[in-house]
Amino acid sequence: MTLDSTDLFGAVIDRRVVPVLVPMPAAKAYSYVVPDGMAVEPGSIVQVPLGPRLVVGVVWDGADDGMVDPRKLKQIEKVFDCPPLTGDMRAFLDWVAAYTVTPPGLVARMALRAPAAFDPEPMVEALRLTDMRPERMTSARERVIAAASDGFSWTRSGLAHAAGVSSSVVDGLTAQGVFETVFMPPPPVVALPDPDFAAPRLEGAQKDAAADLLAAVEERRFSVSLIDGITGSGKTEVYFEAIAATLRAGKQVLILLPEIALTASFLERFQDRFGSKPAEWHSDLAPRTREKVWRQVTTGQVRVVAGARSALFLPFEDLGLIIVDEEHDPAYKQEDRVFYNARDMAVVRGRISNFPVVLVSATPSVESRVNGEMGRYRPIHLPTRFGDAALPHLGVVDMRRHPPERGGFLSPVLLDQVGKAIGRGEQALLFLNRRGYAPLTLCRVCGHRFQCPDCSSWLVEHRFRGQIQCHHCGYSERTPEACPECGTLDHLVACGPGVERIAEEVERHFPEARTIVLSSDLMGVKRLRLELEAIARGEADIVIGTQLVAKGHNFPMMTLVGIVDADLGLANGDPRAAERTFQLLSQVTGRAGRTGLKSLGLLQTYQPQHPVMQAIVSGDSDAFYEREINERERAALPPFGRLASIIVSADSRNDAEGHARGLRMAAPRVDGIAILGPAEAPLALIRGRHRFRLLVHGRRNSDMQAFVKAMIAGGPKERGSISVQLDIDPQSFL
DNA sequence: AGCACGCCGACT
DNA sequence: GTCGGCGTGCTC
């Protein structure tokens, strides 16, 4: 808008005022004055003064509402030389903000997560051969000149490397005028992918699925396809064809992967098909690389990004396809600051920009499955494995009939199969989704249980490190020798298994075997990649791992997978517990049987009749899904209702339950409230108090939105120790 | 979200 | 007497 104002000489001048989203939890955009001679438009990325500092903001849509005292208005400091956020991108950010009940500035900030990328990358210094030649020629100098004779410009170190000399040789030649310094645009972070580099010949079901998918993708408008295919059925090859088609049409592609830091093998497969790697985007990127990728995505130099959920907020120049691989994976949910599920927001982004979205999973989420059945998503089935990849034979071990020996956790049945597998020179994987040695430690004399002083959950013993740790808030201390309650020495007893304890049991039974424990707390991402490669080369016999062994790495010699405790995670109150267990166990057992060798998966369970076990063992999941869908529909859970979670911070569980009852009274249209233990509260929210999570579900969007907004507005003050944070699970928004 | 201001405990 | 904990409040 234009404001009338008066200058020093009493003349009326125009001040142009625009809304600017600043990275702050304000309900709406702030107003800033555009200085004379500055050109801004909606989407422009700008630097503005905010309180005592300068921040990055985005000029937003609409006119300024003139509600702020004109004397308070400050000027935009500068406009970055960078493509403005497109109208689609702004509409997307607005939508996410409204849907997740998050201040728009915080959502916009996710699109600007690249410290210094907003100005163009500086040109790089390069050397180009001139007509001058050195007075004295040496063989090193000849090699340098020969290498540089291709007519192109070279970087100093690149040229030295290419000629096999040290850079001082190049410097000497430069000093004599043989090279002149020129500036060239910075090199791309990745080479351009070639859609025709190694197009595979697809057969049978894969060919049909690819044709089906291409029909949807080549319409070049919004649709959601759900590729549902068992492990090893060739889902990746199929969606690579959709990527190729999109690249040929000149559009950019985004591939979302859960935990991309662990998926080196995916990048290689992509390179084999397209001749170059996609640009990566995840939290472990080096800041310089991050800036380059951000910049080159906005300018369109990067054509394909493979990224974690945050990549969804990259401001692509011209995005034309999103693939969400392993769409059921809980890692797509962000549970701090802005609460969102990247899978669902990907669908929204496709709808807003009118391009196709492809969801992929061997074990689709119940939501996606229902959306497929209702015709909102287009189901594409890949029912069979191809090549020599036989399915593993899967079975349960009924732990009531085959109990482990005293103090152990592995049944004789499983131990026998481990012995046989390593006896044949093959590998065995034992999966237990529990880090550390034991989940609970107590004193045999007085019954004292080690509990976290900050958040009330049990402290987990980590024997390799000699520590007891809280897995929820990060608290840790050295494992004491004496009971802190009664002072008795050496009477602490570990209850229940963790991977470290399983490793101990394995080593007792197979002292000769090479055993390795893979657990996220024992190694960083880099170290883990190396270990995974070593295992794939056959440098271990028995691998004992937590959840991270489930993610996209293939071990050709792995012919036995043992699930140490298939029941773990079934009884924690989460309405998605069974679904999650089914998905996780399918993924882990899918690690076996990718070779031509006969392979076996065994699930140790006390509930062999449980629908999850039945679905896994039979390989027929339809009955399981049907049951879950009916249950969800009855309880008004997604996708039939809406699910929000509220973190209640209270001094005791009793208080939390009291608050829950209070909330229920306050929200008559909410269908159900479940209280989950401290383990269910997201890590980021725990700050030294007892925290519980309430899962609240209701049938109608508007009811839940109203409820959640009221909770935020009512906030901690009026409700004593309740603090509200939410996590809204999307349902249908199509 | 940052960052400043402001009011009570252990230290040079 | 100051340094520093984090509770409260503000940013166009």
Side-chain angles (χ1 to χ4, degrees), chain A residues 17-75:
Chain A
V17 178
V18 293
V20 174
L21 280 186
V22 287
M24 210 199 47
K28 61 184 206 58
Y30 277 7
S31 304
Y32 283 88
V33 173
V34 184
D36 283 345
M38 179 183 280
V40 297
E41 57 181 302
S44 293
I45 298 173
V46 293
Q47 188 172 54
V48 292
L50 182 68
R53 67 217 157 97
L54 289 173
V55 298
V56 174
V58 194
V59 176
W60 217 240
D61 300 87
D64 180 72
D65 59 13
M67 296 297 284
V68 188
D69 180 352
R71 287 168 304 184
K72 278 175 75 176
L73 296 185
K74 293 179 180 173
Q75 287 198 344

Side-chain angles (χ1 to χ4, degrees), chain A residues 180-410:
Chain A
E180 60 181 350
T181 302
V182 294
F183 289 90
M184 59 179 197
V189 280
V190 285
L192 286 179
D194 174 4
D196 303 309
F197 182 78
R201 184 170 301 157
L202 301 178
E203 306 265 332
Q206 264 188 308
K207 191 178 176 187
D208 297 344
D212 209 5
L213 181 63
L214 281 176
V217 166
E218 283 176 344
E219 284 181 23
R220 306 243 58 81
R221 40 189 194 82
F222 173 65
S223 64
V224 184
S225 302
L226 174 63
I227 305 183
D228 163 7
I230 57 171
T231 323
S233 60
K235 299 185 288 293
T236 312
E237 287 77 5
V238 168
Y239 75 66
F240 275 177
E241 293 318 293
I243 294 172
T246 307
L247 290 175
R248 284 189 203 105
K251 301 271 187 179
Q252 289 170 292
V253 175
L254 169 63
I255 306 158
L256 290 178
L257 301 166
E259 328 224 349
I260 184 173
L262 297 180
T263 51
S265 61
F266 172 84
L267 302 176
E268 276 156 32
R269 280 174 85 180
F270 187 92
Q271 183 166 31
D272 291 345
R273 169 64 183 80
F274 294 100
S276 69
K277 285 188 177 158
E280 285 179 62
W281 184 266
H282 52 83
S283 55
D284 287 339
L285 281 190
R288 298 288 321 157
T289 317
R290 191 179 190 76
E291 285 161 18
K292 275 173 158 295
V293 173
W294 190 91
R295 183 81 206 173
Q296 295 183 9
V297 166
T298 65
T299 59
Q301 274 183 84
V302 162
R303 305 311 296 169
V304 182
V305 174
R309 58 177 187 246
S310 59
L312 185 59
F313 291 90
L314 283 168
F316 286 85
E317 184 214 21
D318 188 16
L319 187 58
L321 174 70
I322 302 179
I323 309 281
V324 186
D325 204 350
E326 309 289 359
E327 65 87 22
H328 64 279
D329 200 294
Y332 284 122
K333 277 175 80 168
Q334 172 152 79
E335 304 205 88
D336 66 303
R337 297 181 180 91
V338 183
F339 290 64
Y340 68 92
N341 185 323
R343 177 240 297 157
D344 298 304
M345 296 307 106
V347 170
V348 171
R349 192 151 184 202
R351 192 198 56 194
I352 288 174
S353 295
N354 199 28
F355 61 71
V357 176
V358 180
L359 310 182
V360 186
S361 177
T363 51
S365 60
V366 172
E367 287 94 321
S368 294
R369 173 124 175 169
V370 170
N371 283 329
E373 288 175 5
M374 311 251 289
R376 289 196 197 102
Y377 295 173
R378 175 184 177 129
I380 297 176
H381 295 290
L382 277 166
T384 50
R385 281 194 168 188
F386 70 97
D388 62 354
L391 281 169
H393 177 78
L394 297 172
V396 292
V397 178
D398 185 342
M399 296 299 275
R400 296 165 305 185
R401 287 177 49 211
H402 306 284
E405 66 180 44
R406 218 180 131 72
F409 300 91
L410 302 174

Side-chain angles (χ1 to χ4, degrees), chain A residues 72-212:
Chain A
K72 278 175 75 176
L73 296 185
K74 293 179 180 173
Q75 287 198 344
I76 294 175
E77 195 80 13
K78 71 177 272 195
V79 189
F80 289 102
D81 181 8
C82 151
L85 298 187
T86 59
D88 281 358
M89 189 64 190
R90 287 173 345 250
F92 173 62
L93 296 175
D94 271 336
W95 197 97
V96 173
Y99 187 78
T100 60
V101 205
T102 307
L106 295 187
V107 178
R109 199 175 64 138
M110 297 197 295
L112 304 173
R113 280 276 171 84
F118 310 121
D119 279 322
E121 290 181 75
M123 301 288 260
V124 295
E125 257 182 53
L127 301 173
R128 193 168 57 197
L129 201 59
T130 64
D131 296 334
M132 303 270 281
R133 286 296 173 270
E135 289 168 21
R136 203 173 303 149
M137 189 59 91
T138 65
S139 70
R141 287 178 167 186
E142 269 172 14
R143 270 180 286 151
V144 171
I145 290 169
S149 296
D150 59 0
F152 291 105
S153 302
W154 290 73
T155 61
R156 177 170 158 271
S157 59
L159 185 55
H161 186 78
V165 301
S166 86
S167 52
S168 61
V169 180
V170 179
D171 291 344
L173 289 168
T174 308
Q176 296 200 22
V178 177
F179 290 108
E180 60 181 350
T181 302
V182 294
F183 289 90
M184 59 179 197
V189 280
V190 285
L192 286 179
D194 174 4
D196 303 309
F197 182 78
R201 184 170 301 157
L202 301 178
E203 306 265 332
Q206 264 188 308
K207 191 178 176 187
D208 297 344
D212 209 5

